[in-house]
Amino acid sequence: MKRREFIRKAGAGSLVVGAGLAGVRTAEAKAEIKWKMVTTWPRNFPGLGTGANKLAKVINEMSGGRMHVKVYGAKELVPAFEVFDAVARGTAEIGHGAAYYWKGKSETAQFFSTVPFGMTAQEMNGWLYFGGGLELWRELYKPFGLIPAPGGNTGMQMGGWFNKEIKSVRDLKGLKMRIPGLGGEVLKRAGGTPVNLPGGELFTSLQSGAIDATEWVNPYNDLAFGLFKAAKYYYYPGFHEPGTTMEAIINQKAFIALPKDLQAIALNACKIANQEMLAEYTARNPAALKTLVEKHKVDIRTYPGDVLETLRKYSREVVEELARKDAFAKKVHDSYMDFLEGSREWGSISDFAYLQARDKA
Ligand code: CA
């Protein structure tokens, strides 16, 4: 290519890039309604952060540009664990996180993310959309001026990363582990010390020894954080998070101010984000697991049966105690448990029986 021709082509290229950026700015500037979305995830973090991006993108596109949602990663506008308050007070109109992060506001909120030895992703969606779960969730957040919606699901998580083998429940004693929600309470009962840290702080905390162990999500996310560089053993199953629902929270006043069609778009965009996140994890975990095992030589271990049995017993205690906190907690607990019971019976002759038959060696 002649030099002049090259310069001309390069110039044309940068012109196109420039026009693209201006296009984005115009779309935001032109929108009648501008919303800020705050999230508990690092910006663009695979699966979770990109799930939040997806939610914003769907709203922007479906509104035909009338509405523009701008996404802020953790700490960009507010710290990860201030998302709930920021949306409640209207600093941002919408947030993306997980309900168990807000147990300081209401312990009952934890039922809407995940329960140790509780429902899978598919069951959570059944309960939330058709089993009365979402109505209860909305009732719980109403006094905070917030409208919640399922906004993603990780599917089955892993047990976590440890630097020592877990041979018996005694090995959990004194263990300082990052594990949020009710799973943390279960660890406490087993003699451990649960701590809650935002995802962005896990790697350095584990590497520096500030914590002894951590759970995060599943192979796709855990590989992205490089947790295999800071711990030897990767345990399963994630008894504490068998299908965690992510949440979108919308400021009620901002929602009411929307025209009816944009209200429908915002809520339906949450459904799309909920579905897509689970599909993405389902698609990406197998390859990530392969990389962890084959390339990074991660030692995959299962919790021994008696450890799981003890953890199951503690889980039941923790959940039952939560149900005794107040009348609303009991109502949510009973709704959740009734649904789980029905699902258990059906599941045993459907998914469970089928997977056993399909994958029998
Ligand atoms: Ca987790």
Side-chain angles (χ1 to χ4, degrees):
M1 196 188 292
K2 288 200 178 78
R3 189 168 169 269
R4 222 165 64 192
E5 194 184 349
F6 173 78
I7 289 168
R8 193 161 46 83
K9 286 206 169 159
S14 54
L15 206 71
V16 171
V17 170
L21 285 174
V24 170
R25 272 197 294 272
T26 318
E28 189 180 346
K30 269 203 320 213
E32 296 159 34
I33 297 153
K34 296 180 189 68
W35 274 17
K36 293 187 204 68
M37 182 193 287
V38 286
T39 69
T40 57
W41 325 117
R43 172 181 272 273
N44 298 330
F45 189 73
L48 304 169
T50 55
N53 294 350
K54 176 79 194 183
L55 173 56
K57 188 167 179 268
V58 171
I59 295 175
N60 298 349
E61 286 176 355
M62 287 179 78
S63 73
R66 288 158 58 211
M67 191 164 168
H68 192 274
V69 182
K70 186 173 180 177
V71 182
Y72 294 85
K75 290 189 199 164
E76 287 181 344
L77 201 60
V78 296
F81 292 156
E82 280 176 31
V83 164
F84 188 96
D85 285 332
V87 181
R89 70 172 176 257
T91 303
E93 290 79 8
I94 185 166
H96 195 267
Y100 55 28
Y101 291 145
W102 323 128
K103 68 174 182 181
K105 303 283 173 195
S106 162
E107 292 196 42
T108 308
Q110 297 171 102
F111 281 107
F112 302 106
S113 52
T114 193
V115 170
F117 293 97
M119 293 193 227
T120 63
Q122 200 161 323
E123 290 167 334
M124 275 303 281
N125 285 331
W127 177 57
L128 289 168
Y129 293 132
F130 287 94
L134 186 52
E135 283 85 349
L136 291 169
W137 196 0
R138 289 196 172 144
E139 196 177 333
L140 180 69
Y141 280 19
K142 206 171 177 197
F144 299 99
L146 292 170
I147 301 169
N153 198 302
T154 62
M156 190 71 217
Q157 298 201 3
M158 284 292 284
W161 298 86
F162 299 79
N163 270 311
K164 65 172 190 179
E165 286 183 75
I166 306 301
K167 292 180 182 157
S168 76
V169 179
R170 280 192 305 279
D171 293 316
L172 297 173
K173 284 204 192 336
L175 192 82
K176 194 172 176 193
M177 179 175 182
R178 185 271 181 188
I179 173 168
L182 294 166
E185 288 304 309
V186 174
L187 177 72
K188 198 191 275 178
R189 211 148 293 208
T193 306
V195 292
N196 196 9
L197 293 169
E201 294 171 27
L202 297 192
F203 181 77
T204 43
S205 302
L206 188 59
Q207 204 178 36
S208 70
I211 52 174
D212 304 315
T214 187
E215 68 80 55
W216 176 225
V217 185
N218 47 32
Y220 180 49
N221 274 170
D222 294 6
L223 174 65
F225 266 165
L227 295 172
F228 59 89
K229 289 180 226 158
K232 270 192 244 171
Y233 303 108
Y234 195 21
Y235 271 86
Y236 72 91
F239 72 89
H240 63 298
E241 298 201 51
T244 307
T245 295
M246 300 298 122
E247 71 173 12
I249 40 176
I250 303 175
N251 178 285
Q252 207 173 326
K253 277 190 199 145
F255 183 78
I256 290 167
L258 290 179
K260 288 273 179 283
D261 61 335
L262 293 183
Q263 288 183 348
I265 283 169
L267 293 180
N268 281 294
C270 294
K271 284 191 184 168
I272 293 171
N274 190 39
Q275 169 69 29
E276 280 218 2
M277 189 186 288
L278 184 61
E280 186 176 8
Y281 279 119
T282 304
R284 301 200 197 279
N285 275 323
L289 178 63
K290 201 166 182 251
T291 304
L292 285 171
V293 173
E294 291 179 8
K295 189 172 169 201
H296 302 300
K297 310 293 177 212
V298 168
D299 196 340
I300 309 275
R301 298 286 177 103
T302 177
Y303 288 119
D306 57 337
V307 170
L308 285 174
E309 202 172 308
T310 307
L311 293 172
R312 191 162 52 235
K313 184 181 78 136
Y314 289 146
S315 297
R316 204 158 34 228
E317 286 176 16
V318 163
V319 174
E320 280 168 11
E321 273 171 35
L322 174 54
R324 287 197 291 271
K325 296 262 170 185
D326 58 60
F328 193 74
K330 168 104 174 53
K331 195 173 162 186
V332 176
H333 166 272
D334 291 356
S335 170
Y336 184 102
M337 288 303 167
D338 284 352
F339 193 94
L340 178 55
E341 262 328 296
S343 189
R344 202 194 303 276
E345 280 174 38
W346 162 234
S348 70
I349 60 162
S350 59
D351 290 16
F352 183 72
Y354 170 69
L355 288 175
Q356 275 194 319
R358 188 189 71 179
D359 299 336
K360 209 170 176 117

